[in-house]
Amino acid sequence: MLFRTLAKPDFKALVERILASTEVIGPKRVGTDRHGRPIHHYLPVESFDEIDLDYETTEFSAKTYFLPYKENLCSYRFQDDDWRQEIRYRIQPRAIIGLHACDIHALIKLDKALARDFFPSPYYISRRKNTFVVGIDHDPCEGGFCRSLGTDTATHGFDLFLTDLGERYFVAIGSDRGFRALSGLPAAEITEQDTEDYLRVRKRIAAGFKTEINVQNLPNLLDIEFESPVWEKWGGKCLSCGSCAMVCPTCYCYGVSERVSMDFASGAKTKQLYSCNLIDFAVVAGGHNFRPNRQTRLKYRYYHQHRGFMEAYDEPKCVGCNRCGRTCLAGINPVEVIRDLQAEDET
Amino acid sequence: MKQLFYPFDISLESEMKEPLDFNRRSRTKDVDRVFRAEITNVIRLTEMEKLFQVRIMDDAERQRFTFLPGQFLMLELPGYGEIPISISSAPTNKGFLELCIRRAGTVTGALHKARRGARVGLRGPFGTHFPMEKMKGNNVLLIAGGLGLAPLRAPIFHVIQNRSDYRNVHIFYGTGSPEQLLFDYQYDEWRRIDDIEMEVIVERPDPNWKGPVGLITKLLDHVEINPRETYAIVCGPPIMFKFVCARLSDLGVPMQRMFVSLERRMHCGMGKCCRCNVGSTFTCMDGPVFDYWSVMNLKEAI
Ligand SMILES: Cc1cc2nc3c(=O)[nH]c(=O)nc-3n(C[C@H](O)[C@H](O)[C@H](O)COP(=O)(O)OP(=O)(O)OC[C@H]3O[C@@H](n4cnc5c(N)ncnc54)[C@H](O)[C@@H]3O)c2cc1C
Ligand code: SF4
Ligand code: SF4
Ligand code: FES
């Protein structure tokens, strides 16, 4: 990997340069929660100053820019008794500034599920390849357990990755596109001092993690504890609202529906992100529901995160951002659910 | 100022320009592009089921279309929706396809109103298939309950067309009542084929019914086969294949040699929407055809 340092005003110049021609998404402060903590969202910005790179976390992940909550898969034009299908992929370039390492890992996981091996999705690939990703290091967010999942640092999946060294950024260059973006800017070769400062910051960050869980035995444990009372306990509280999957950076399941325009001249096939916690996730014609109760549905969310994905890709699907825990009105959070499962196993 | 980022237009990629072929799973393609197909005939089977003969309209696409017995399609009715449907015709017919469809809701309901000449969209084939190759040289039991005869027809046609590859062949079919029997006009033809035993059973006979009465498992009471040289394909509702497979297991047929087809909700057919998730896999990718031992090991498969 190539590394450079970049003075902060020069990074601002880079973002302004991107803004001149391209849509830029960044963490934007949109309000304050009831505990007085700032609320951030990844939103389009008009100027560099709207971006708050010191943010702790965002309520929603940035997946909507890769997997929109609603996306047109194709349109139909009807004429006489016939129809034609039209498909368009989004190809406008876009830049996302300020993703944390966990969210970059989420993209890497989505790459595996959606862009490789079998039936790669052109919708996803097109958005992913047209998005310039700038990551940034940060101190652990409250409740985040990314370190336990090995997603607290990123070595690929981005174009540039910044670490704040005070007056300057330590910049990891992850792609040719990232390299070119820096051209013309006074990015300096790194010195021994830079490396030292960088490692010190990394150490500080690593020392800041308060939440830890052991995920090593989870795939096996989930199998053994399939009938565990833990699912009664936590699943019994679940409101089946689906918020956890909506905010999760790696949840990608969806449903498809179609509609026809008022004049019957056209129709659209739309994909909408779904959640395995929603009651009709597995309902089939005739009304049979393969997962009629919320305990089972909640269990399957964990099952996919920590066993299904593991079997397919040798890694869990969860990146430990704790957005699901933060958003859940029923107070269900992954760290406690997993700890409970492990406690159950030990008794 | 020089442009910083150039749009990456995926439709210009070479893989995207290859002829659409869902059998080449790893290639990047227009995964939601449908083959345009025309309904050439509608055949009424029962109150609830119709057989739709459809033909992929483009000659080249129709020729290129290949599938294996047990695979399914996503059938698109533009403006209504898209549903998974088993292919119910002989693989050698390629893009001349038969789909046996029960009226069950929005899309199937609209389809039941469709006439000859109507145009639908098809994506596929998707999913796993019955191991017709491996079954060569063995006895074959083809067992269906109710609508299960729809997916069973592809392997039946395959076995008939390659009859000399297989030893004894039995077709067992059961439904609730005689008026629910599908494809009753074909039984005679199948029965006349040298060495194909076909038996049909119903639970609730009407006065005209002359055949056996009872559950499908009853037909297994009299089969004389060497279980160690036998493969079975069992299509039907879970409750049915559960009992049939248990019975076959008692007879000594290894569970790895019994094949069933699972049904789940499906919105993509490509392992992407996760709706068909069962255990740690997706029914559309690792299924719908599973050997029964795998089914026993899948969480909540039956
Ligand atoms: C692999 C496979 C093969 C099938 N083969 C056949 C067949 O050969 N003949 C036949 O009649 N039926 C078959 N089915 C069932 C058929 O897909 C459903 O009857 C159909 O989806 C109902 O759609 P609908 O719009 O009429 O019903 P609605 O109840 O209005 O359904 C609305 C939507 O829910 C989804 N959905 C509902 N039920 C199912 C279901 N069982 N499976 C998947 N998605 C569902 C679909 O997206 C559907 O559009 C098969 C199902 C699977 C999974
Ligand atoms: S776990 Fe919480 S956020 Fe998720 S569906 Fe249940 S109540 Fe909603
Ligand atoms: S499951 Fe929860 S903690 Fe894990 S990645 Fe999704 S939102 Fe974050
Ligand atoms: S149908 Fe979408 S994952 Fe199987």
Side-chain angles (χ1 to χ4, degrees), chain A residues 82-83 85 89 119 130 258 290-291, chain B residues 8 25 30 32 36 76 79 119 264 277:
Chain A
D82 205 359
W83 49 264
Q85 187 187 32
Y89 304 110
F119 299 114
N130 280 304
E258 299 197 21
F290 283 95
R291 295 191 191 149
Chain B
F8 160 79
R25 294 185 176 186
D30 289 309
D32 274 278
R36 280 159 56 77
E76 163 88 18
R119 275 144 198 206
R264 284 294 182 280
N277 166 245

mmCIF file with all atom_site columns, all heavy atoms in Angstrom, chain A residues 82-83 85 89 119 130 258 290-291, chain B residues 8 25 30 32 36 76 79 119 264 277:
data_model
loop_
_atom_site.group_PDB
_atom_site.id
_atom_site.type_symbol
_atom_site.label_atom_id
_atom_site.label_alt_id
_atom_site.label_comp_id
_atom_site.label_asym_id
_atom_site.label_entity_id
_atom_site.label_seq_id
_atom_site.pdbx_PDB_ins_code
_atom_site.Cartn_x
_atom_site.Cartn_y
_atom_site.Cartn_z
_atom_site.occupancy
_atom_site.B_iso_or_equiv
_atom_site.pdbx_formal_charge
_atom_site.auth_seq_id
_atom_site.auth_comp_id
_atom_site.auth_asym_id
_atom_site.auth_atom_id
_atom_site.pdbx_PDB_model_num
ATOM 1   N N   . ASP A 1 82  ? -48.725 -5.815  -26.271 1.00 0.00 ? 82  ASP A N   1
ATOM 2   C CA  . ASP A 1 82  ? -47.321 -6.202  -26.106 1.00 0.00 ? 82  ASP A CA  1
ATOM 3   C C   . ASP A 1 82  ? -46.618 -5.273  -25.112 1.00 0.00 ? 82  ASP A C   1
ATOM 4   O O   . ASP A 1 82  ? -47.175 -4.277  -24.673 1.00 0.00 ? 82  ASP A O   1
ATOM 5   C CB  . ASP A 1 82  ? -46.628 -6.142  -27.476 1.00 0.00 ? 82  ASP A CB  1
ATOM 6   C CG  . ASP A 1 82  ? -45.432 -7.075  -27.533 1.00 0.00 ? 82  ASP A CG  1
ATOM 7   O OD1 . ASP A 1 82  ? -45.150 -7.734  -26.507 1.00 0.00 ? 82  ASP A OD1 1
ATOM 8   O OD2 . ASP A 1 82  ? -44.794 -7.143  -28.586 1.00 0.00 ? 82  ASP A OD2 1
ATOM 9   N N   . TRP A 1 83  ? -45.398 -5.631  -24.782 1.00 0.00 ? 83  TRP A N   1
ATOM 10  C CA  . TRP A 1 83  ? -44.620 -4.789  -23.877 1.00 0.00 ? 83  TRP A CA  1
ATOM 11  C C   . TRP A 1 83  ? -43.143 -4.879  -24.227 1.00 0.00 ? 83  TRP A C   1
ATOM 12  O O   . TRP A 1 83  ? -42.691 -5.829  -24.868 1.00 0.00 ? 83  TRP A O   1
ATOM 13  C CB  . TRP A 1 83  ? -44.840 -5.208  -22.425 1.00 0.00 ? 83  TRP A CB  1
ATOM 14  C CG  . TRP A 1 83  ? -44.697 -6.698  -22.204 1.00 0.00 ? 83  TRP A CG  1
ATOM 15  C CD1 . TRP A 1 83  ? -45.697 -7.620  -22.181 1.00 0.00 ? 83  TRP A CD1 1
ATOM 16  C CD2 . TRP A 1 83  ? -43.470 -7.442  -22.015 1.00 0.00 ? 83  TRP A CD2 1
ATOM 17  N NE1 . TRP A 1 83  ? -45.185 -8.889  -21.981 1.00 0.00 ? 83  TRP A NE1 1
ATOM 18  C CE2 . TRP A 1 83  ? -43.825 -8.799  -21.872 1.00 0.00 ? 83  TRP A CE2 1
ATOM 19  C CE3 . TRP A 1 83  ? -42.127 -7.075  -21.932 1.00 0.00 ? 83  TRP A CE3 1
ATOM 20  C CZ2 . TRP A 1 83  ? -42.874 -9.813  -21.670 1.00 0.00 ? 83  TRP A CZ2 1
ATOM 21  C CZ3 . TRP A 1 83  ? -41.174 -8.072  -21.730 1.00 0.00 ? 83  TRP A CZ3 1
ATOM 22  C CH2 . TRP A 1 83  ? -41.555 -9.436  -21.604 1.00 0.00 ? 83  TRP A CH2 1
ATOM 23  N N   . GLN A 1 85  ? -39.203 -4.214  -22.347 1.00 0.00 ? 85  GLN A N   1
ATOM 24  C CA  . GLN A 1 85  ? -38.535 -4.031  -21.059 1.00 0.00 ? 85  GLN A CA  1
ATOM 25  C C   . GLN A 1 85  ? -37.347 -3.078  -21.207 1.00 0.00 ? 85  GLN A C   1
ATOM 26  O O   . GLN A 1 85  ? -36.606 -3.165  -22.192 1.00 0.00 ? 85  GLN A O   1
ATOM 27  C CB  . GLN A 1 85  ? -38.037 -5.392  -20.558 1.00 0.00 ? 85  GLN A CB  1
ATOM 28  C CG  . GLN A 1 85  ? -37.479 -5.365  -19.147 1.00 0.00 ? 85  GLN A CG  1
ATOM 29  C CD  . GLN A 1 85  ? -36.847 -6.685  -18.732 1.00 0.00 ? 85  GLN A CD  1
ATOM 30  O OE1 . GLN A 1 85  ? -36.304 -7.400  -19.556 1.00 0.00 ? 85  GLN A OE1 1
ATOM 31  N NE2 . GLN A 1 85  ? -36.902 -7.001  -17.454 1.00 0.00 ? 85  GLN A NE2 1
ATOM 32  N N   . TYR A 1 89  ? -28.832 1.245   -15.459 1.00 0.00 ? 89  TYR A N   1
ATOM 33  C CA  . TYR A 1 89  ? -28.012 1.211   -14.251 1.00 0.00 ? 89  TYR A CA  1
ATOM 34  C C   . TYR A 1 89  ? -27.542 2.622   -13.942 1.00 0.00 ? 89  TYR A C   1
ATOM 35  O O   . TYR A 1 89  ? -27.304 3.420   -14.847 1.00 0.00 ? 89  TYR A O   1
ATOM 36  C CB  . TYR A 1 89  ? -26.816 0.280   -14.452 1.00 0.00 ? 89  TYR A CB  1
ATOM 37  C CG  . TYR A 1 89  ? -27.238 -1.108  -14.858 1.00 0.00 ? 89  TYR A CG  1
ATOM 38  C CD1 . TYR A 1 89  ? -26.992 -1.589  -16.145 1.00 0.00 ? 89  TYR A CD1 1
ATOM 39  C CD2 . TYR A 1 89  ? -27.936 -1.919  -13.972 1.00 0.00 ? 89  TYR A CD2 1
ATOM 40  C CE1 . TYR A 1 89  ? -27.416 -2.853  -16.529 1.00 0.00 ? 89  TYR A CE1 1
ATOM 41  C CE2 . TYR A 1 89  ? -28.366 -3.189  -14.348 1.00 0.00 ? 89  TYR A CE2 1
ATOM 42  C CZ  . TYR A 1 89  ? -28.098 -3.644  -15.634 1.00 0.00 ? 89  TYR A CZ  1
ATOM 43  O OH  . TYR A 1 89  ? -28.529 -4.882  -16.002 1.00 0.00 ? 89  TYR A OH  1
ATOM 44  N N   . PHE A 1 119 ? -24.182 -14.875 -10.083 1.00 0.00 ? 119 PHE A N   1
ATOM 45  C CA  . PHE A 1 119 ? -25.118 -13.804 -10.418 1.00 0.00 ? 119 PHE A CA  1
ATOM 46  C C   . PHE A 1 119 ? -24.705 -12.444 -9.865  1.00 0.00 ? 119 PHE A C   1
ATOM 47  O O   . PHE A 1 119 ? -25.454 -11.811 -9.114  1.00 0.00 ? 119 PHE A O   1
ATOM 48  C CB  . PHE A 1 119 ? -26.534 -14.161 -9.927  1.00 0.00 ? 119 PHE A CB  1
ATOM 49  C CG  . PHE A 1 119 ? -27.083 -15.411 -10.537 1.00 0.00 ? 119 PHE A CG  1
ATOM 50  C CD1 . PHE A 1 119 ? -27.329 -16.547 -9.774  1.00 0.00 ? 119 PHE A CD1 1
ATOM 51  C CD2 . PHE A 1 119 ? -27.327 -15.472 -11.908 1.00 0.00 ? 119 PHE A CD2 1
ATOM 52  C CE1 . PHE A 1 119 ? -27.831 -17.709 -10.343 1.00 0.00 ? 119 PHE A CE1 1
ATOM 53  C CE2 . PHE A 1 119 ? -27.831 -16.636 -12.487 1.00 0.00 ? 119 PHE A CE2 1
ATOM 54  C CZ  . PHE A 1 119 ? -28.077 -17.749 -11.701 1.00 0.00 ? 119 PHE A CZ  1
ATOM 55  N N   . ASN A 1 130 ? -18.739 3.234   -9.286  1.00 0.00 ? 130 ASN A N   1
ATOM 56  C CA  . ASN A 1 130 ? -18.837 4.663   -9.558  1.00 0.00 ? 130 ASN A CA  1
ATOM 57  C C   . ASN A 1 130 ? -18.770 5.499   -8.288  1.00 0.00 ? 130 ASN A C   1
ATOM 58  O O   . ASN A 1 130 ? -18.995 6.693   -8.321  1.00 0.00 ? 130 ASN A O   1
ATOM 59  C CB  . ASN A 1 130 ? -20.121 4.968   -10.330 1.00 0.00 ? 130 ASN A CB  1
ATOM 60  C CG  . ASN A 1 130 ? -19.968 4.646   -11.815 1.00 0.00 ? 130 ASN A CG  1
ATOM 61  O OD1 . ASN A 1 130 ? -19.057 5.169   -12.461 1.00 0.00 ? 130 ASN A OD1 1
ATOM 62  N ND2 . ASN A 1 130 ? -20.807 3.773   -12.339 1.00 0.00 ? 130 ASN A ND2 1
ATOM 63  N N   . GLU A 1 258 ? -44.422 -4.703  -8.311  1.00 0.00 ? 258 GLU A N   1
ATOM 64  C CA  . GLU A 1 258 ? -44.595 -4.040  -9.604  1.00 0.00 ? 258 GLU A CA  1
ATOM 65  C C   . GLU A 1 258 ? -45.799 -3.126  -9.559  1.00 0.00 ? 258 GLU A C   1
ATOM 66  O O   . GLU A 1 258 ? -46.750 -3.370  -8.829  1.00 0.00 ? 258 GLU A O   1
ATOM 67  C CB  . GLU A 1 258 ? -44.761 -5.094  -10.711 1.00 0.00 ? 258 GLU A CB  1
ATOM 68  C CG  . GLU A 1 258 ? -43.539 -5.961  -10.797 1.00 0.00 ? 258 GLU A CG  1
ATOM 69  C CD  . GLU A 1 258 ? -43.412 -6.745  -12.089 1.00 0.00 ? 258 GLU A CD  1
ATOM 70  O OE1 . GLU A 1 258 ? -44.028 -6.371  -13.099 1.00 0.00 ? 258 GLU A OE1 1
ATOM 71  O OE2 . GLU A 1 258 ? -42.663 -7.739  -12.064 1.00 0.00 ? 258 GLU A OE2 1
ATOM 72  N N   . PHE A 1 290 ? -43.593 -19.696 6.740   1.00 0.00 ? 290 PHE A N   1
ATOM 73  C CA  . PHE A 1 290 ? -42.538 -20.591 7.221   1.00 0.00 ? 290 PHE A CA  1
ATOM 74  C C   . PHE A 1 290 ? -41.919 -20.096 8.525   1.00 0.00 ? 290 PHE A C   1
ATOM 75  O O   . PHE A 1 290 ? -41.263 -20.849 9.222   1.00 0.00 ? 290 PHE A O   1
ATOM 76  C CB  . PHE A 1 290 ? -41.456 -20.771 6.153   1.00 0.00 ? 290 PHE A CB  1
ATOM 77  C CG  . PHE A 1 290 ? -41.866 -21.702 5.050   1.00 0.00 ? 290 PHE A CG  1
ATOM 78  C CD1 . PHE A 1 290 ? -42.406 -21.227 3.872   1.00 0.00 ? 290 PHE A CD1 1
ATOM 79  C CD2 . PHE A 1 290 ? -41.734 -23.069 5.210   1.00 0.00 ? 290 PHE A CD2 1
ATOM 80  C CE1 . PHE A 1 290 ? -42.792 -22.091 2.850   1.00 0.00 ? 290 PHE A CE1 1
ATOM 81  C CE2 . PHE A 1 290 ? -42.121 -23.951 4.208   1.00 0.00 ? 290 PHE A CE2 1
ATOM 82  C CZ  . PHE A 1 290 ? -42.650 -23.458 3.030   1.00 0.00 ? 290 PHE A CZ  1
ATOM 83  N N   . ARG A 1 291 ? -42.064 -18.797 8.818   1.00 0.00 ? 291 ARG A N   1
ATOM 84  C CA  . ARG A 1 291 ? -41.554 -18.266 10.092  1.00 0.00 ? 291 ARG A CA  1
ATOM 85  C C   . ARG A 1 291 ? -42.617 -17.411 10.759  1.00 0.00 ? 291 ARG A C   1
ATOM 86  O O   . ARG A 1 291 ? -42.554 -16.190 10.750  1.00 0.00 ? 291 ARG A O   1
ATOM 87  C CB  . ARG A 1 291 ? -40.307 -17.435 9.839   1.00 0.00 ? 291 ARG A CB  1
ATOM 88  C CG  . ARG A 1 291 ? -39.195 -18.302 9.318   1.00 0.00 ? 291 ARG A CG  1
ATOM 89  C CD  . ARG A 1 291 ? -37.890 -17.579 9.307   1.00 0.00 ? 291 ARG A CD  1
ATOM 90  N NE  . ARG A 1 291 ? -36.956 -18.387 8.555   1.00 0.00 ? 291 ARG A NE  1
ATOM 91  C CZ  . ARG A 1 291 ? -35.974 -17.910 7.843   1.00 0.00 ? 291 ARG A CZ  1
ATOM 92  N NH1 . ARG A 1 291 ? -35.763 -16.613 7.790   1.00 0.00 ? 291 ARG A NH1 1
ATOM 93  N NH2 . ARG A 1 291 ? -35.178 -18.722 7.186   1.00 0.00 ? 291 ARG A NH2 1
ATOM 94  N N   . PHE B 2 8   ? -18.270 4.832   -14.940 1.00 0.00 ? 8   PHE B N   1
ATOM 95  C CA  . PHE B 2 8   ? -18.011 3.463   -15.356 1.00 0.00 ? 8   PHE B CA  1
ATOM 96  C C   . PHE B 2 8   ? -19.350 2.917   -15.846 1.00 0.00 ? 8   PHE B C   1
ATOM 97  O O   . PHE B 2 8   ? -20.294 2.793   -15.069 1.00 0.00 ? 8   PHE B O   1
ATOM 98  C CB  . PHE B 2 8   ? -17.478 2.667   -14.161 1.00 0.00 ? 8   PHE B CB  1
ATOM 99  C CG  . PHE B 2 8   ? -17.601 1.181   -14.298 1.00 0.00 ? 8   PHE B CG  1
ATOM 100 C CD1 . PHE B 2 8   ? -16.701 0.465   -15.075 1.00 0.00 ? 8   PHE B CD1 1
ATOM 101 C CD2 . PHE B 2 8   ? -18.623 0.488   -13.636 1.00 0.00 ? 8   PHE B CD2 1
ATOM 102 C CE1 . PHE B 2 8   ? -16.817 -0.912  -15.198 1.00 0.00 ? 8   PHE B CE1 1
ATOM 103 C CE2 . PHE B 2 8   ? -18.739 -0.894  -13.760 1.00 0.00 ? 8   PHE B CE2 1
ATOM 104 C CZ  . PHE B 2 8   ? -17.837 -1.581  -14.541 1.00 0.00 ? 8   PHE B CZ  1
ATOM 105 N N   . ARG B 2 25  ? -23.458 -18.796 -14.430 1.00 0.00 ? 25  ARG B N   1
ATOM 106 C CA  . ARG B 2 25  ? -23.803 -18.024 -13.235 1.00 0.00 ? 25  ARG B CA  1
ATOM 107 C C   . ARG B 2 25  ? -22.776 -16.978 -12.856 1.00 0.00 ? 25  ARG B C   1
ATOM 108 O O   . ARG B 2 25  ? -23.114 -15.938 -12.311 1.00 0.00 ? 25  ARG B O   1
ATOM 109 C CB  . ARG B 2 25  ? -23.995 -18.985 -12.061 1.00 0.00 ? 25  ARG B CB  1
ATOM 110 C CG  . ARG B 2 25  ? -25.191 -19.872 -12.276 1.00 0.00 ? 25  ARG B CG  1
ATOM 111 C CD  . ARG B 2 25  ? -25.475 -20.737 -11.087 1.00 0.00 ? 25  ARG B CD  1
ATOM 112 N NE  . ARG B 2 25  ? -26.698 -21.492 -11.338 1.00 0.00 ? 25  ARG B NE  1
ATOM 113 C CZ  . ARG B 2 25  ? -27.280 -22.247 -10.440 1.00 0.00 ? 25  ARG B CZ  1
ATOM 114 N NH1 . ARG B 2 25  ? -26.782 -22.357 -9.238  1.00 0.00 ? 25  ARG B NH1 1
ATOM 115 N NH2 . ARG B 2 25  ? -28.383 -22.901 -10.743 1.00 0.00 ? 25  ARG B NH2 1
ATOM 116 N N   . ASP B 2 30  ? -27.182 -8.915  -17.388 1.00 0.00 ? 30  ASP B N   1
ATOM 117 C CA  . ASP B 2 30  ? -28.405 -8.206  -17.009 1.00 0.00 ? 30  ASP B CA  1
ATOM 118 C C   . ASP B 2 30  ? -29.282 -9.185  -16.255 1.00 0.00 ? 30  ASP B C   1
ATOM 119 O O   . ASP B 2 30  ? -30.173 -9.810  -16.839 1.00 0.00 ? 30  ASP B O   1
ATOM 120 C CB  . ASP B 2 30  ? -29.154 -7.729  -18.263 1.00 0.00 ? 30  ASP B CB  1
ATOM 121 C CG  . ASP B 2 30  ? -28.439 -6.593  -18.964 1.00 0.00 ? 30  ASP B CG  1
ATOM 122 O OD1 . ASP B 2 30  ? -28.099 -5.612  -18.291 1.00 0.00 ? 30  ASP B OD1 1
ATOM 123 O OD2 . ASP B 2 30  ? -28.225 -6.704  -20.186 1.00 0.00 ? 30  ASP B OD2 1
ATOM 124 N N   . ASP B 2 32  ? -31.753 -8.987  -14.416 1.00 0.00 ? 32  ASP B N   1
ATOM 125 C CA  . ASP B 2 32  ? -33.203 -8.814  -14.410 1.00 0.00 ? 32  ASP B CA  1
ATOM 126 C C   . ASP B 2 32  ? -33.791 -8.690  -15.809 1.00 0.00 ? 32  ASP B C   1
ATOM 127 O O   . ASP B 2 32  ? -34.956 -8.356  -15.967 1.00 0.00 ? 32  ASP B O   1
ATOM 128 C CB  . ASP B 2 32  ? -33.595 -7.628  -13.524 1.00 0.00 ? 32  ASP B CB  1
ATOM 129 C CG  . ASP B 2 32  ? -33.724 -8.069  -12.079 1.00 0.00 ? 32  ASP B CG  1
ATOM 130 O OD1 . ASP B 2 32  ? -34.772 -8.596  -11.717 1.00 0.00 ? 32  ASP B OD1 1
ATOM 131 O OD2 . ASP B 2 32  ? -32.732 -7.941  -11.329 1.00 0.00 ? 32  ASP B OD2 1
ATOM 132 N N   . ARG B 2 36  ? -38.319 -12.697 -23.661 1.00 0.00 ? 36  ARG B N   1
ATOM 133 C CA  . ARG B 2 36  ? -39.720 -12.512 -24.032 1.00 0.00 ? 36  ARG B CA  1
ATOM 134 C C   . ARG B 2 36  ? -40.254 -13.847 -24.539 1.00 0.00 ? 36  ARG B C   1
ATOM 135 O O   . ARG B 2 36  ? -39.625 -14.523 -25.339 1.00 0.00 ? 36  ARG B O   1
ATOM 136 C CB  . ARG B 2 36  ? -39.838 -11.447 -25.129 1.00 0.00 ? 36  ARG B CB  1
ATOM 137 C CG  . ARG B 2 36  ? -39.772 -10.021 -24.578 1.00 0.00 ? 36  ARG B CG  1
ATOM 138 C CD  . ARG B 2 36  ? -39.376 -9.028  -25.636 1.00 0.00 ? 36  ARG B CD  1
ATOM 139 N NE  . ARG B 2 36  ? -40.261 -9.065  -26.805 1.00 0.00 ? 36  ARG B NE  1
ATOM 140 C CZ  . ARG B 2 36  ? -41.474 -8.524  -26.842 1.00 0.00 ? 36  ARG B CZ  1
ATOM 141 N NH1 . ARG B 2 36  ? -41.956 -7.900  -25.792 1.00 0.00 ? 36  ARG B NH1 1
ATOM 142 N NH2 . ARG B 2 36  ? -42.200 -8.583  -27.937 1.00 0.00 ? 36  ARG B NH2 1
ATOM 143 N N   . GLU B 2 76  ? -42.414 -13.832 -15.339 1.00 0.00 ? 76  GLU B N   1
ATOM 144 C CA  . GLU B 2 76  ? -42.763 -12.423 -15.129 1.00 0.00 ? 76  GLU B CA  1
ATOM 145 C C   . GLU B 2 76  ? -44.017 -12.067 -15.911 1.00 0.00 ? 76  GLU B C   1
ATOM 146 O O   . GLU B 2 76  ? -44.109 -12.367 -17.109 1.00 0.00 ? 76  GLU B O   1
ATOM 147 C CB  . GLU B 2 76  ? -41.581 -11.581 -15.603 1.00 0.00 ? 76  GLU B CB  1
ATOM 148 C CG  . GLU B 2 76  ? -41.876 -10.129 -15.854 1.00 0.00 ? 76  GLU B CG  1
ATOM 149 C CD  . GLU B 2 76  ? -41.704 -9.276  -14.614 1.00 0.00 ? 76  GLU B CD  1
ATOM 150 O OE1 . GLU B 2 76  ? -41.044 -9.758  -13.675 1.00 0.00 ? 76  GLU B OE1 1
ATOM 151 O OE2 . GLU B 2 76  ? -42.223 -8.161  -14.590 1.00 0.00 ? 76  GLU B OE2 1
ATOM 152 N N   . GLY B 2 79  ? -46.117 -5.770  -14.899 1.00 0.00 ? 79  GLY B N   1
ATOM 153 C CA  . GLY B 2 79  ? -47.167 -5.004  -14.256 1.00 0.00 ? 79  GLY B CA  1
ATOM 154 C C   . GLY B 2 79  ? -47.820 -5.755  -13.099 1.00 0.00 ? 79  GLY B C   1
ATOM 155 O O   . GLY B 2 79  ? -48.413 -5.157  -12.218 1.00 0.00 ? 79  GLY B O   1
ATOM 156 N N   . ARG B 2 119 ? -47.993 -12.284 -23.977 1.00 0.00 ? 119 ARG B N   1
ATOM 157 C CA  . ARG B 2 119 ? -46.541 -12.327 -23.805 1.00 0.00 ? 119 ARG B CA  1
ATOM 158 C C   . ARG B 2 119 ? -46.130 -12.207 -22.350 1.00 0.00 ? 119 ARG B C   1
ATOM 159 O O   . ARG B 2 119 ? -46.600 -11.339 -21.632 1.00 0.00 ? 119 ARG B O   1
ATOM 160 C CB  . ARG B 2 119 ? -45.909 -11.212 -24.629 1.00 0.00 ? 119 ARG B CB  1
ATOM 161 C CG  . ARG B 2 119 ? -45.713 -11.687 -26.049 1.00 0.00 ? 119 ARG B CG  1
ATOM 162 C CD  . ARG B 2 119 ? -45.928 -10.629 -27.053 1.00 0.00 ? 119 ARG B CD  1
ATOM 163 N NE  . ARG B 2 119 ? -46.138 -11.274 -28.353 1.00 0.00 ? 119 ARG B NE  1
ATOM 164 C CZ  . ARG B 2 119 ? -45.871 -10.695 -29.504 1.00 0.00 ? 119 ARG B CZ  1
ATOM 165 N NH1 . ARG B 2 119 ? -45.396 -9.464  -29.535 1.00 0.00 ? 119 ARG B NH1 1
ATOM 166 N NH2 . ARG B 2 119 ? -46.085 -11.347 -30.623 1.00 0.00 ? 119 ARG B NH2 1
ATOM 167 N N   . ARG B 2 264 ? -40.169 -22.277 -1.215  1.00 0.00 ? 264 ARG B N   1
ATOM 168 C CA  . ARG B 2 264 ? -40.052 -21.135 -0.320  1.00 0.00 ? 264 ARG B CA  1
ATOM 169 C C   . ARG B 2 264 ? -40.455 -19.888 -1.089  1.00 0.00 ? 264 ARG B C   1
ATOM 170 O O   . ARG B 2 264 ? -40.546 -19.904 -2.300  1.00 0.00 ? 264 ARG B O   1
ATOM 171 C CB  . ARG B 2 264 ? -38.602 -20.956 0.177   1.00 0.00 ? 264 ARG B CB  1
ATOM 172 C CG  . ARG B 2 264 ? -38.155 -21.925 1.242   1.00 0.00 ? 264 ARG B CG  1
ATOM 173 C CD  . ARG B 2 264 ? -38.932 -21.720 2.529   1.00 0.00 ? 264 ARG B CD  1
ATOM 174 N NE  . ARG B 2 264 ? -38.508 -22.606 3.610   1.00 0.00 ? 264 ARG B NE  1
ATOM 175 C CZ  . ARG B 2 264 ? -38.870 -23.887 3.750   1.00 0.00 ? 264 ARG B CZ  1
ATOM 176 N NH1 . ARG B 2 264 ? -39.647 -24.447 2.855   1.00 0.00 ? 264 ARG B NH1 1
ATOM 177 N NH2 . ARG B 2 264 ? -38.456 -24.609 4.774   1.00 0.00 ? 264 ARG B NH2 1
ATOM 178 N N   . ASN B 2 277 ? -34.332 -18.265 2.204   1.00 0.00 ? 277 ASN B N   1
ATOM 179 C CA  . ASN B 2 277 ? -33.361 -18.805 3.156   1.00 0.00 ? 277 ASN B CA  1
ATOM 180 C C   . ASN B 2 277 ? -33.921 -19.985 3.961   1.00 0.00 ? 277 ASN B C   1
ATOM 181 O O   . ASN B 2 277 ? -35.023 -19.936 4.470   1.00 0.00 ? 277 ASN B O   1
ATOM 182 C CB  . ASN B 2 277 ? -32.927 -17.674 4.087   1.00 0.00 ? 277 ASN B CB  1
ATOM 183 C CG  . ASN B 2 277 ? -32.188 -18.159 5.301   1.00 0.00 ? 277 ASN B CG  1
ATOM 184 O OD1 . ASN B 2 277 ? -32.664 -18.013 6.424   1.00 0.00 ? 277 ASN B OD1 1
ATOM 185 N ND2 . ASN B 2 277 ? -31.049 -18.774 5.085   1.00 0.00 ? 277 ASN B ND2 1
#
